[in-house]
Amino acid sequence: MERALANAQAFTTLSPEAKQWMATTFYQLLSQTHLKKLARVLPSSLFHRLALESVVTRAEALDVTKFDVQNFAQEPEALSWLLEEQAP
């Protein structure tokens, strides 16, 4: 799998422990796959959206993400980005 869509629109809360695990272990495990693009559809709630954005920000700061990650408000936008051709 080289492209994936994560729809978190129904997301409600994330504990500090879960955020830490996602930013370190989860994204590191994803980086060990063939994943090249991850589109994330975020919740409409600003609080929940910021919580999820902080996870990727931390993972990128730790240099554990080896793939492109983009956040979107709606699934059609995310799918469009995923289906774009990547430059060789």
Side-chain angles (χ1 to χ4, degrees):
M1 174 176 63
E2 293 184 349
R3 301 168 193 205
L5 175 83
N7 190 327
Q9 288 178 311
F11 172 76
T12 57
T13 188
L14 193 60
S15 71
E17 296 81 14
K19 286 172 54 174
Q20 175 67 18
W21 178 83
M22 287 179 68
T24 55
T25 307
F26 179 69
Y27 280 96
Q28 187 172 37
L29 289 171
L30 282 179
S31 291
Q32 294 172 11
T33 69
H34 296 287
L35 188 64
K36 293 182 181 174
K37 292 176 97 172
L38 175 63
R40 301 183 334 150
V41 181
L42 300 183
S44 58
S45 161
L46 178 61
F47 177 77
H48 296 129
R49 190 169 56 243
L50 289 175
L52 286 173
E53 287 175 353
S54 72
V55 170
V56 168
T57 300
R58 179 161 168 76
E60 290 173 341
L62 294 170
D63 198 30
V64 297
T65 53
K66 306 298 182 200
F67 49 88
D68 291 333
V69 180
Q70 290 286 333
N71 297 322
F72 298 91
Q74 300 294 324
E75 201 167 286
E77 300 165 339
L79 288 171
S80 179
W81 178 74
L82 283 175
L83 296 175
E84 288 178 354
E85 290 301 316
Q86 292 183 271

